[in-house]
Amino acid sequence: MYSSLNTNGNAAAFETGPVSGRFAAVYSEVQNSRIDHALPLPSVLRNPFKVVEGPPSSAAGNPDEIAKLFPNLFGQPSAMLVPNEADSLRSDLKLKIGVVLSGGQAPGDYLQDRAKGSILYGFRGGPAGIMKCKYIELNADYIYPYRNQGGFDMICSGRDKIETPEQFKQAEETAVKLDLDGLVVIGGDDSNTNACLLAENFRGKNLKTRVIGCPKTIDGDLKCKEVPTSFGFDTACKIYAEMIGNVMIDARSTGKYYHFVRLMGRAASHITLECALQTQPNITIIGEEVAAKKQTLKNVTDYMVDVICKRAELGYNYGVILIPEGLIDFIPEVQQLIAELNEILAHDVVDEDGIWKKKLTNQSLKLFEFLPQAIQEQLMLERDPHGNVQVAKIETEKMLIQMVETELEKRKQEGSYKGHFKGQSHFFGYEGRCGLPTNFDASYCYALGYGAAALLHSGKTGLISSVGNLGAPVEEWTVGGTALTSLMDVERRHGKFKPVIKKAMVELEGAPFKKFASVREDWALKNCYISPGPIQFVGPSSNAVSHTLLLELGAQA
Amino acid sequence: MYSSLNTNGNAAAFETGPVSGRFAAVYSEVQNSRIDHALPLPSVLRNPFKVVEGPPSSAAGNPDEIAKLFPNLFGQPSAMLVPNEADSLRSDLKLKIGVVLSGGQAPGDYLQDRAKGSILYGFRGGPAGIMKCKYIELNADYIYPYRNQGGFDMICSGRDKIETPEQFKQAEETAVKLDLDGLVVIGGDDSNTNACLLAENFRGKNLKTRVIGCPKTIDGDLKCKEVPTSFGFDTACKIYAEMIGNVMIDARSTGKYYHFVRLMGRAASHITLECALQTQPNITIIGEEVAAKKQTLKNVTDYMVDVICKRAELGYNYGVILIPEGLIDFIPEVQQLIAELNEILAHDVVDEDGIWKKKLTNQSLKLFEFLPQAIQEQLMLERDPHGNVQVAKIETEKMLIQMVETELEKRKQEGSYKGHFKGQSHFFGYEGRCGLPTNFDASYCYALGYGAAALLHSGKTGLISSVGNLGAPVEEWTVGGTALTSLMDVERRHGKFKPVIKKAMVELEGAPFKKFASVREDWALKNCYISPGPIQFVGPSSNAVSHTLLLELGAQA
């Protein structure tokens, strides 16, 4: 046991708890059927292949700074697996590979290694597992029950980062102690940035341990030309879309509710956009558009109220509205208000007479008074340990319902609205992160893992596993690796440059948003609802690909 | 248009809105595949049959009063369809049949009539549609897009009741005007009570219009020996169980959240029990048990906290807890507090110093002070138009999280708890009412509708369509009708006896609860989570039947 390493609750679970393996697990019929579901592999992985390299790479921004931060890795070419007459890699090479899950959950599974006799270690509880050398050996029997199941409970995940010199040293010690040939880091933008730093560090220290990243996040915000999507996004969106479709039919059946559905995805609105394309709701708010148009909370409310009024004239007193989790983070005036509140609350006594409010700027005061009473109180009362206002705790969907109610009441008084309004709030989040992966995600993840092992096997480091041509049948998918440094830019923090993989935001000029924008007026007033139904593993729709991916591929072609 | 009939918002939608039919609807691939999904029929309905009668029936309670309330119907025998050499019913008989959906949504579909050339009217917006003679003619083309789709948007539903003499008169006028041979009422306990009153009234007036009920409610609380379940229950539970299973894997992956999941179902806890049997959570609260054991809110909280503490000792700082929507309605002390608050709030000024609290009984004061601050405020501030406390608005899952937090903090101070607790709240409701029906619900509903038409065809009235032997393949299901009066008891309201079909509550001596009770201790401390996955329409688990039904059938056999 590692009792001296007990620094957080997450880790503590592994020290004192029973083995978390699923050996004794009871499975549902569908789970059982998925375990033995045979996954297709890109044909390049099924036959002898060799690894070829492309031209040198640069960075997503500030290449000079990235070059300084990654002196050993910067400029690496991409790698691509291509068919070969005979396997170019030594099949008798026994590899020791570690794998770590990092960040939030996403439905995925299974890494497989081509080199027989190799050892696979799973670091437990995320990056902390590397630093603390907490691992289990993953053999075929141990992995078997997790095949195609979704969830990260095999080795769990964690959100620690490997950042300080001391932490890097711990990671090195683990790599040396386990004699690791390779490490596969599975996660989102932060995790892959960390993977690249580890790769740079290991190479700088002349360690043999190579590091390959894999794109995993339901948010869909880790992508680029070579990495068209991250695994988990497809499954999560289809689960949310199932629920939204059900709520739509309910809305139309009762005819008396507006359902405000907030969807997980704080930084980018990809999930919300994809769910909109799948289900065609009446109103969809895309955070990136709100930010680009510098919209205010009042603008967003007015847009909703305008549609609701028009629908009332058509006789529809119901509807479905999608809102991204991070909506208020996209609204500049809200950010301003929060900043001012934090400042005031840190220094002043909040008097009941509201004299403190005079310290707010005019714009912020106006916004504060526009907020529903309950939200005002929440902002003032619920603060984090640093005394800061907790924006993440605000239930945006409930706030919007109240603001829409207030505005509709006003219009009713003015005579411009004669309808009936009842809001119902929903938050679809955790239930989408750990579903059984769709056929697409299971196959994609399998190819990514297989590809990552092939890259390690061929001696690559600092790449992210890249599977492409995803619109084609799995057999025709391409497999390779992309230099992680080529995805990077720098951000200035505390006077220092820090490397970051920029989150891929919804592009307003991208095909998915443009498609949405071209039809949303129709969706607003007519009822074009589509109910995608539950994810199917066999039969109709079982091999469907997300709209976002298809539209992006179509735009590229 | 029926502009003079515009009395409620729900109805208004039909008067001014476009036709709500799904002719122009865009369907998802799964929806499309379901439209043409061929449903099996019990073999007795596929071949010539005749209707045979059983012995005279009585009532569920107070037969003398029921006999007085239903002089024309009381004592009717059950009807059973049995194979016959030739069809006993005139196949050239053209029937005019009305159908109405009543109450909350449930996934179901489609009534089919054996007598070719008959006319089917759909009354729009529930029972109000009968009273106001608002209907559409449902022909094969109109119905086609709704096959196997779930949702009530074809003719919508409504919660009006036909109660007063004037309302009965309106219904009579509609029956005469449309020359109705029959009326099929699809709904829960209230709707079927209403169906029986209509049947009694029509027969008393010597109208030819016969009335047959069909059991529809996701709550699962309309059932008896002859009617083993209601349609919608199977689909709703499987949708909720999918979500719960996902949340379970998420809980186990992150290892740091207790998910409190409140499930729809206010009166009875069938949904919660079924979902527990499908997913095996750590803690499940069954309202009927809480009521039977006269538990207090403190008892419920302590039970949760005890399990959480024991789990923490095992190293588990996460878990999944199921709570029925109507939990607090089952707790006697809460009912008492609410009654006292309503009384006080109606007559007294609520002073800030809390002097008003002295009017509470000791027990209620203690409970009130035990409630989290936010709930106290909600009780005092949010009141319905009559000034009454709004119990239904209390988010029980959030309240319990706060109470559990407080108690755990206490135990931490005492040294008896060393874990970490973070609660996440969920409410699964609307997304389960309108999903695509499972194969079971689609087949069951089809047989119920077909059976209802056969009963009308053979001249029956005041029966509820009854399909039995549901554990066997569909071909072997039995089809018949049960006297609605035999399900009835009386309640005394405003000094009068009112007939009611008693809601079927979770029976603590019934097989489903006993099964649950025998394993819940294991589920509490071990992690026996099962993830049922999304509803499948083909392949593994696509023909699964609910645990509740199977256990009840097993106990009968």
Side-chain angles (χ1 to χ4, degrees), chain A residues 10 13 17-18 28-31 105 151-153 242-243 246 249-250 252-254 314-316 395 398 424 430-431 433-435 531 535-537 541, chain B residues 10 13 17-18 28-31 105 151-153 242-243 246 249-250 252-254 314-316 395 398 424 430-431 433-435 531 535-537 541:
Chain A
N10 204 1
S28 70
E29 206 178 331
V30 175
Q31 282 181 301
Q105 271 56 251
F152 277 13
D153 55 315
E242 174 195 356
M243 298 298 119
N246 291 354
I249 298 186
D250 201 89
R252 185 149 61 178
S253 298
T254 44
L314 294 170
Y316 301 130
E395 294 174 303
K398 291 191 178 162
Q424 283 288 354
Y430 297 92
E431 53 272 61
R433 306 201 307 178
C434 280
S531 179
I535 289 169
Q536 297 296 295
F537 296 117
S541 97
Chain B
N10 204 0
S28 69
E29 207 178 328
V30 175
Q31 281 182 301
Q105 271 56 249
F152 278 13
D153 55 316
E242 174 196 356
M243 299 298 119
N246 290 354
I249 298 188
D250 202 89
R252 185 150 58 176
S253 298
T254 45
L314 294 171
Y316 301 130
E395 295 173 302
K398 291 189 178 163
Q424 283 289 352
Y430 295 93
E431 54 272 60
R433 305 200 309 177
C434 279
S531 179
I535 289 169
Q536 298 295 296
F537 296 117
S541 96

Coordinates of all heavy atoms in Angstrom, one line a residue, chain A residues 10 13 17-18 28-31 105 151-153 242-243 246 249-250 252-254 314-316 395 398 424 430-431 433-435 531 535-537 541, chain B residues 10 13 17-18 28-31 105 151-153 242-243 246 249-250 252-254 314-316 395 398 424 430-431 433-435 531 535-537 541:
Chain A
N10 N -9.4 11.0 -4.1 CA -9.4 10.2 -5.2 C -8.4 9.1 -5.1 O -8.7 7.9 -5.4 CB -9.1 11.1 -6.4 CG -9.7 10.5 -7.7 OD1 -10.3 9.4 -7.6 ND2 -9.5 11.1 -8.8
A13 N -9.0 6.2 -2.4 CA -9.9 5.1 -2.7 C -9.1 3.9 -3.1 O -9.5 2.8 -2.9 CB -10.8 5.5 -3.8
G17 N -9.3 0.8 -0.6 CA -10.5 0.1 -1.2 C -10.1 -1.2 -1.8 O -9.0 -1.5 -2.0
P18 N -11.2 -2.0 -2.0 CA -11.0 -3.3 -2.7 C -10.5 -3.0 -4.1 O -10.6 -1.9 -4.6 CB -12.4 -3.9 -2.7 CG -13.2 -3.0 -1.9 CD -12.5 -1.7 -1.8
S28 N -25.3 -6.2 -17.8 CA -26.5 -6.2 -18.5 C -26.3 -7.0 -19.8 O -25.2 -7.2 -20.2 CB -27.1 -4.8 -18.7 OG -26.3 -4.2 -19.7
E29 N -27.5 -7.4 -20.4 CA -27.4 -8.1 -21.6 C -26.7 -7.3 -22.7 O -25.9 -7.8 -23.5 CB -28.8 -8.4 -22.1 CG -28.9 -9.6 -22.9 CD -30.4 -10.0 -23.3 OE1 -31.3 -9.6 -22.5 OE2 -30.6 -10.5 -24.4
V30 N -27.0 -6.0 -22.7 CA -26.3 -5.1 -23.8 C -24.8 -5.0 -23.5 O -24.0 -5.1 -24.4 CB -27.0 -3.7 -23.8 CG1 -26.3 -2.8 -24.8 CG2 -28.5 -3.9 -24.2
Q31 N -24.5 -4.8 -22.2 CA -23.1 -4.8 -21.9 C -22.3 -6.0 -22.3 O -21.3 -6.0 -22.9 CB -22.9 -4.6 -20.3 CG -23.1 -3.1 -19.9 CD -22.9 -3.0 -18.4 OE1 -23.6 -3.7 -17.6 NE2 -22.0 -2.2 -18.0
Q105 N -14.3 12.5 -17.9 CA -14.7 11.2 -18.5 C -15.1 11.3 -19.9 O -15.7 12.3 -20.3 CB -15.8 10.6 -17.7 CG -15.4 9.7 -16.6 CD -14.6 10.5 -15.6 OE1 -13.4 10.2 -15.5 NE2 -15.1 11.4 -14.9
G151 N -16.5 4.5 -19.8 CA -16.1 4.7 -18.4 C -14.6 4.6 -18.2 O -13.9 3.9 -19.0
F152 N -14.2 5.2 -17.2 CA -12.7 5.2 -16.9 C -12.4 4.5 -15.6 O -11.4 4.7 -15.0 CB -12.3 6.7 -16.7 CG -12.0 7.4 -18.0 CD1 -12.4 6.8 -19.2 CD2 -11.3 8.6 -18.0 CE1 -12.1 7.5 -20.4 CE2 -11.0 9.2 -19.1 CZ -11.4 8.7 -20.4
D153 N -13.3 3.6 -15.2 CA -13.1 3.0 -13.9 C -12.1 1.9 -13.9 O -11.7 1.4 -12.8 CB -14.5 2.5 -13.3 CG -15.2 1.6 -14.2 OD1 -15.2 1.8 -15.4 OD2 -15.6 0.5 -13.7
E242 N -30.7 11.9 -27.8 CA -31.8 11.0 -27.5 C -32.8 11.7 -26.5 O -34.0 11.8 -26.7 CB -31.3 9.7 -26.9 CG -32.4 8.8 -26.4 CD -32.0 7.7 -25.5 OE1 -30.7 7.5 -25.2 OE2 -32.8 6.9 -25.0
M243 N -32.2 12.3 -25.4 CA -33.0 12.9 -24.4 C -33.7 14.1 -24.9 O -34.9 14.3 -24.6 CB -32.1 13.3 -23.2 CG -31.4 12.2 -22.5 SD -32.5 11.0 -21.7 CE -32.0 9.6 -22.6
N246 N -36.7 13.1 -27.0 CA -37.8 12.7 -26.1 C -38.5 13.9 -25.6 O -39.7 13.9 -25.5 CB -37.3 11.8 -25.0 CG -36.8 10.5 -25.4 OD1 -36.9 10.1 -26.6 ND2 -36.2 9.7 -24.5
I249 N -40.8 15.6 -28.1 CA -42.1 14.9 -28.3 C -43.0 15.2 -27.1 O -44.2 15.4 -27.3 CB -41.9 13.4 -28.6 CG1 -41.1 13.2 -29.9 CG2 -43.3 12.7 -28.8 CD1 -41.0 11.8 -30.4
D250 N -42.4 15.2 -26.0 CA -43.2 15.6 -24.8 C -43.8 17.0 -24.9 O -44.9 17.3 -24.6 CB -42.4 15.4 -23.5 CG -43.2 15.3 -22.3 OD1 -43.6 14.1 -21.9 OD2 -43.6 16.3 -21.6
R252 N -44.4 18.7 -27.5 CA -45.5 18.8 -28.5 C -46.7 18.1 -28.1 O -47.8 18.4 -28.5 CB -44.9 18.1 -29.8 CG -45.9 18.2 -31.0 CD -45.2 18.3 -32.3 NE -44.4 17.1 -32.6 CZ -43.7 16.9 -33.7 NH1 -43.7 17.8 -34.7 NH2 -42.9 15.8 -33.9
S253 N -46.6 17.0 -27.2 CA -47.7 16.3 -26.7 C -48.5 17.1 -25.7 O -49.8 17.2 -25.8 CB -47.3 15.0 -26.0 OG -46.6 14.2 -27.0
T254 N -47.8 17.7 -24.8 CA -48.6 18.5 -23.8 C -48.9 19.9 -24.3 O -49.9 20.5 -23.9 CB -47.7 18.7 -22.5 OG1 -46.4 19.1 -22.8 CG2 -47.7 17.5 -21.6
L314 N -48.6 31.9 -33.6 CA -48.9 30.7 -34.5 C -49.6 29.7 -33.7 O -50.0 28.6 -34.2 CB -47.6 30.1 -35.0 CG -46.8 31.0 -36.0 CD1 -45.4 30.4 -36.2 CD2 -47.5 31.2 -37.3
G315 N -49.8 29.9 -32.4 CA -50.6 29.0 -31.6 C -49.7 28.0 -30.8 O -50.2 27.1 -30.2
Y316 N -48.4 28.2 -30.9 CA -47.5 27.3 -30.2 C -47.1 27.9 -28.9 O -46.3 28.9 -28.9 CB -46.3 27.0 -31.0 CG -46.5 26.3 -32.4 CD1 -45.9 26.9 -33.5 CD2 -47.4 25.2 -32.5 CE1 -46.1 26.3 -34.7 CE2 -47.6 24.6 -33.7 CZ -47.0 25.2 -34.8 OH -47.2 24.6 -36.1
E395 N -27.2 28.2 -12.4 CA -27.9 27.3 -13.3 C -28.5 28.2 -14.4 O -29.6 28.7 -14.2 CB -29.0 26.5 -12.5 CG -28.3 25.6 -11.5 CD -29.4 24.9 -10.6 OE1 -30.1 25.6 -9.9 OE2 -29.4 23.6 -10.6
K398 N -32.1 28.0 -15.5 CA -33.1 28.5 -14.6 C -33.1 30.0 -14.6 O -34.2 30.7 -14.6 CB -32.9 28.0 -13.2 CG -33.2 26.5 -13.1 CD -33.2 26.0 -11.6 CE -33.5 24.6 -11.6 NZ -33.2 23.9 -10.4
Q424 N -39.5 24.7 -18.2 CA -39.0 23.5 -17.5 C -37.5 23.4 -17.7 O -37.0 23.5 -18.9 CB -39.6 22.2 -18.1 CG -41.0 21.9 -17.6 CD -41.1 21.5 -16.2 OE1 -40.1 21.3 -15.5 NE2 -42.4 21.4 -15.7
Y430 N -23.6 14.6 -16.7 CA -22.9 13.4 -16.3 C -23.4 12.2 -17.0 O -22.7 11.2 -17.3 CB -23.0 13.2 -14.8 CG -22.3 14.3 -14.1 CD1 -23.0 15.5 -13.7 CD2 -21.0 14.3 -13.8 CE1 -22.4 16.5 -13.0 CE2 -20.3 15.3 -13.2 CZ -21.0 16.4 -12.8 OH -20.3 17.5 -12.2
E431 N -24.7 12.2 -17.4 CA -25.3 11.0 -18.0 C -24.7 10.7 -19.4 O -25.0 9.6 -19.9 CB -26.8 11.0 -17.9 CG -27.5 12.2 -18.5 CD -27.6 13.3 -17.5 OE1 -26.6 13.8 -17.0 OE2 -28.8 13.8 -17.3
R433 N -21.4 11.2 -20.2 CA -19.9 11.0 -20.2 C -19.5 9.5 -20.1 O -18.4 9.2 -20.5 CB -19.3 11.7 -19.0 CG -19.6 13.2 -18.9 CD -18.7 14.0 -18.1 NE -18.4 13.4 -16.8 CZ -17.5 13.9 -15.9 NH1 -16.9 15.0 -16.2 NH2 -17.4 13.3 -14.7
C434 N -20.4 8.7 -19.6 CA -20.0 7.3 -19.4 C -20.9 6.3 -20.0 O -21.1 5.2 -19.5 CB -19.7 7.0 -17.9 SG -18.1 7.6 -17.4
G435 N -21.5 6.6 -21.1 CA -22.4 5.7 -21.8 C -21.6 4.6 -22.5 O -20.4 4.8 -22.7
S531 N -36.4 13.2 -33.5 CA -36.0 12.4 -32.3 C -35.1 11.2 -32.7 O -35.5 10.3 -33.3 CB -37.3 11.8 -31.7 OG -37.1 11.0 -30.6
I535 N -29.2 5.2 -28.8 CA -28.1 4.7 -29.6 C -28.4 3.2 -29.9 O -28.7 2.4 -29.0 CB -26.8 4.8 -28.8 CG1 -26.4 6.3 -28.7 CG2 -25.7 4.0 -29.4 CD1 -25.3 6.6 -27.7
Q536 N -28.2 2.8 -31.1 CA -28.4 1.4 -31.5 C -27.0 0.8 -31.9 O -26.1 1.5 -32.4 CB -29.3 1.3 -32.8 CG -30.7 1.8 -32.5 CD -31.4 1.0 -31.5 OE1 -31.7 -0.2 -31.7 NE2 -31.7 1.6 -30.3
F537 N -26.8 -0.4 -31.5 CA -25.5 -1.1 -31.8 C -25.6 -2.0 -33.0 O -24.6 -2.3 -33.6 CB -25.0 -1.8 -30.5 CG -24.8 -0.9 -29.4 CD1 -25.5 -1.0 -28.2 CD2 -23.8 0.1 -29.5 CE1 -25.2 -0.2 -27.1 CE2 -23.5 0.9 -28.4 CZ -24.3 0.8 -27.2
S541 N -29.0 3.1 -38.2 CA -28.3 4.2 -37.6 C -27.1 3.7 -36.7 O -26.5 4.6 -36.1 CB -29.3 5.0 -36.7 OG -29.2 4.7 -35.4
Chain B
N10 N -53.9 25.0 -23.8 CA -53.7 23.8 -24.5 C -54.6 23.6 -25.7 O -54.2 23.2 -26.8 CB -54.0 22.6 -23.5 CG -53.2 21.4 -23.8 OD1 -52.5 21.4 -24.8 ND2 -53.4 20.3 -23.1
A13 N -54.0 26.0 -28.9 CA -53.0 25.6 -29.8 C -53.6 25.0 -31.1 O -53.1 25.1 -32.2 CB -51.9 24.6 -29.2
G17 N -53.3 27.1 -34.5 CA -52.1 26.6 -35.0 C -52.2 25.8 -36.3 O -53.4 25.4 -36.6
P18 N -51.1 25.6 -37.0 CA -51.2 24.7 -38.2 C -51.6 23.3 -37.7 O -51.5 23.0 -36.6 CB -49.7 24.7 -38.7 CG -49.0 25.8 -37.9 CD -49.8 26.0 -36.7
S28 N -35.7 10.7 -37.9 CA -34.3 10.1 -37.8 C -34.4 8.7 -38.3 O -35.4 8.1 -38.6 CB -33.9 10.1 -36.3 OG -34.6 9.2 -35.6
E29 N -33.2 8.1 -38.5 CA -33.1 6.8 -39.1 C -33.8 5.8 -38.2 O -34.5 4.9 -38.7 CB -31.6 6.5 -39.3 CG -31.3 5.5 -40.4 CD -29.8 5.2 -40.5 OE1 -29.0 6.1 -40.3 OE2 -29.5 4.1 -40.9
V30 N -33.6 6.0 -36.9 CA -34.2 5.0 -36.0 C -35.7 5.2 -36.0 O -36.5 4.2 -36.0 CB -33.7 5.2 -34.6 CG1 -34.4 4.3 -33.6 CG2 -32.2 4.9 -34.5
Q31 N -36.2 6.4 -36.0 CA -37.7 6.6 -36.1 C -38.2 6.0 -37.4 O -39.3 5.3 -37.3 CB -38.0 8.2 -36.2 CG -37.9 8.8 -34.8 CD -38.2 10.3 -34.9 OE1 -37.6 11.1 -35.6 NE2 -39.2 10.7 -34.2
Q105 N -48.1 12.0 -20.3 CA -47.6 11.3 -21.5 C -47.0 9.9 -21.1 O -46.5 9.7 -20.0 CB -46.4 12.1 -22.1 CG -46.8 13.1 -23.1 CD -47.8 14.0 -22.5 OE1 -49.0 14.0 -22.9 NE2 -47.4 14.9 -21.6
G151 N -45.1 9.3 -27.7 CA -45.6 10.7 -27.7 C -47.1 10.7 -28.0 O -47.6 9.8 -28.6
F152 N -47.7 11.8 -27.5 CA -49.1 11.9 -27.7 C -49.4 13.1 -28.6 O -50.5 13.6 -28.5 CB -49.7 12.3 -26.3 CG -50.0 11.1 -25.5 CD1 -49.4 9.8 -25.8 CD2 -50.8 11.1 -24.3 CE1 -49.6 8.7 -25.0 CE2 -51.0 10.0 -23.6 CZ -50.4 8.8 -23.9
D153 N -48.5 13.5 -29.4 CA -48.8 14.7 -30.2 C -49.7 14.4 -31.4 O -50.1 15.4 -32.0 CB -47.4 15.3 -30.7 CG -46.6 14.3 -31.5 OD1 -46.4 13.2 -31.0 OD2 -46.0 14.7 -32.5
E242 N -31.0 3.6 -18.2 CA -29.9 3.8 -19.1 C -29.0 5.0 -18.5 O -27.8 4.9 -18.3 CB -30.3 4.2 -20.5 CG -29.2 4.7 -21.4 CD -29.6 5.4 -22.7 OE1 -30.8 5.5 -22.9 OE2 -28.7 5.9 -23.4
M243 N -29.7 6.1 -18.1 CA -29.1 7.2 -17.6 C -28.4 6.9 -16.3 O -27.3 7.4 -16.0 CB -30.1 8.4 -17.4 CG -30.8 8.9 -18.6 SD -29.6 9.6 -19.9 CE -29.9 8.5 -21.2
N246 N -25.3 5.0 -16.8 CA -24.2 5.9 -17.2 C -23.6 6.7 -16.0 O -22.4 6.8 -15.9 CB -24.7 6.9 -18.2 CG -25.0 6.2 -19.6 OD1 -24.8 5.0 -19.7 ND2 -25.6 7.0 -20.5
I249 N -21.3 4.6 -13.9 CA -19.9 4.3 -14.4 C -19.1 5.6 -14.2 O -17.9 5.6 -13.9 CB -19.9 3.9 -15.9 CG1 -20.7 2.6 -15.9 CG2 -18.5 3.8 -16.4 CD1 -20.6 1.9 -17.3
D250 N -19.8 6.8 -14.4 CA -19.1 8.0 -14.1 C -18.7 8.2 -12.7 O -17.6 8.6 -12.4 CB -20.0 9.2 -14.5 CG -19.3 10.5 -14.8 OD1 -18.9 10.7 -15.9 OD2 -19.0 11.3 -13.9
R252 N -18.0 5.8 -10.6 CA -16.9 4.9 -10.3 C -15.6 5.4 -11.0 O -14.5 5.1 -10.5 CB -17.3 3.5 -10.8 CG -16.3 2.5 -10.5 CD -16.9 1.1 -10.3 NE -17.6 0.7 -11.5 CZ -18.2 -0.5 -11.6 NH1 -18.1 -1.4 -10.6 NH2 -18.8 -0.9 -12.7
S253 N -15.8 6.1 -12.1 CA -14.6 6.6 -12.8 C -13.9 7.8 -12.1 O -12.7 7.8 -11.9 CB -14.9 7.1 -14.2 OG -15.4 6.0 -15.0
T254 N -14.7 8.7 -11.7 CA -14.1 9.9 -11.0 C -13.9 9.6 -9.5 O -12.9 10.1 -8.9 CB -15.1 11.1 -11.0 OG1 -16.4 10.7 -10.7 CG2 -15.1 11.8 -12.4
L314 N -14.5 1.8 3.6 CA -14.0 0.9 2.6 C -13.2 1.6 1.5 O -12.7 0.9 0.6 CB -15.2 0.1 1.9 CG -16.0 -0.8 2.9 CD1 -17.3 -1.3 2.2 CD2 -15.2 -2.0 3.3
G315 N -13.1 2.9 1.6 CA -12.4 3.6 0.6 C -13.2 4.2 -0.6 O -12.7 4.7 -1.5
Y316 N -14.5 4.0 -0.5 CA -15.4 4.5 -1.5 C -16.0 5.9 -1.1 O -16.8 5.9 -0.2 CB -16.6 3.6 -1.8 CG -16.2 2.2 -2.2 CD1 -16.7 1.1 -1.6 CD2 -15.2 2.0 -3.3 CE1 -16.3 -0.2 -2.0 CE2 -14.9 0.7 -3.7 CZ -15.4 -0.4 -3.0 OH -15.1 -1.6 -3.4
E395 N -37.0 20.6 -4.5 CA -36.1 19.6 -5.2 C -35.5 18.7 -4.1 O -34.5 19.0 -3.5 CB -35.1 20.4 -6.0 CG -35.7 21.2 -7.1 CD -34.7 22.1 -7.8 OE1 -34.1 22.9 -7.1 OE2 -34.5 21.9 -9.0
K398 N -31.9 17.8 -3.9 CA -30.9 18.9 -3.4 C -31.1 19.0 -1.9 O -30.1 19.3 -1.2 CB -31.2 20.2 -4.1 CG -30.8 20.2 -5.6 CD -30.9 21.5 -6.3 CE -30.5 21.3 -7.7 NZ -30.9 22.5 -8.6
Q424 N -24.1 15.4 -6.3 CA -24.5 15.9 -7.6 C -26.0 15.5 -7.7 O -26.3 14.4 -7.5 CB -23.7 15.2 -8.7 CG -22.3 15.7 -9.0 CD -22.3 17.1 -9.6 OE1 -23.3 17.6 -10.0 NE2 -21.1 17.7 -9.6
Y430 N -39.1 14.2 -17.6 CA -39.7 14.4 -18.9 C -39.1 13.6 -20.0 O -39.7 13.2 -21.0 CB -39.7 15.9 -19.3 CG -40.6 16.7 -18.3 CD1 -40.0 17.3 -17.2 CD2 -41.9 16.8 -18.5 CE1 -40.8 18.0 -16.3 CE2 -42.7 17.5 -17.6 CZ -42.1 18.1 -16.5 OH -42.9 18.8 -15.6
E431 N -37.7 13.4 -19.9 CA -37.1 12.7 -21.0 C -37.5 11.2 -21.0 O -37.1 10.6 -22.0 CB -35.5 12.8 -20.8 CG -34.9 12.4 -19.5 CD -34.9 13.6 -18.5 OE1 -36.0 14.1 -18.2 OE2 -33.8 14.0 -18.0
R433 N -40.8 10.2 -20.7 CA -42.2 10.1 -21.0 C -42.5 9.9 -22.5 O -43.6 9.4 -22.8 CB -43.0 11.3 -20.5 CG -42.8 11.6 -19.0 CD -43.9 12.4 -18.4 NE -44.2 13.6 -19.2 CZ -45.1 14.5 -18.9 NH1 -45.9 14.2 -17.8 NH2 -45.3 15.5 -19.6
C434 N -41.6 10.3 -23.3 CA -41.9 10.3 -24.7 C -40.9 9.7 -25.6 O -40.6 10.1 -26.7 CB -42.2 11.7 -25.2 SG -43.9 12.3 -24.8
G435 N -40.2 8.7 -25.1 CA -39.2 8.0 -25.9 C -39.8 7.1 -26.9 O -41.0 6.8 -26.8
S531 N -25.1 -1.4 -15.9 CA -25.4 -0.4 -16.8 C -26.2 -1.0 -17.9 O -25.7 -1.7 -18.8 CB -24.1 0.2 -17.4 OG -24.4 1.2 -18.3
I535 N -31.8 1.6 -24.9 CA -32.8 0.6 -25.4 C -32.5 0.2 -26.8 O -32.1 1.0 -27.7 CB -34.2 1.3 -25.4 CG1 -34.7 1.6 -24.0 CG2 -35.2 0.5 -26.3 CD1 -36.0 2.5 -24.0
Q536 N -32.5 -1.1 -27.0 CA -32.2 -1.7 -28.3 C -33.5 -2.2 -28.9 O -34.3 -2.8 -28.3 CB -31.2 -2.8 -28.2 CG -29.8 -2.4 -27.6 CD -29.1 -1.4 -28.5 OE1 -28.7 -1.8 -29.6 NE2 -28.9 -0.2 -28.1
F537 N -33.6 -2.0 -30.2 CA -34.8 -2.5 -30.9 C -34.6 -3.8 -31.7 O -35.5 -4.5 -32.0 CB -35.3 -1.4 -31.9 CG -35.7 -0.1 -31.2 CD1 -35.1 1.1 -31.4 CD2 -36.8 -0.2 -30.3 CE1 -35.5 2.2 -30.7 CE2 -37.2 0.9 -29.6 CZ -36.5 2.1 -29.8
S541 N -31.2 -8.0 -25.7 CA -32.0 -7.3 -24.8 C -33.2 -6.6 -25.4 O -34.0 -5.9 -24.7 CB -31.2 -6.3 -24.0 OG -31.3 -5.0 -24.5

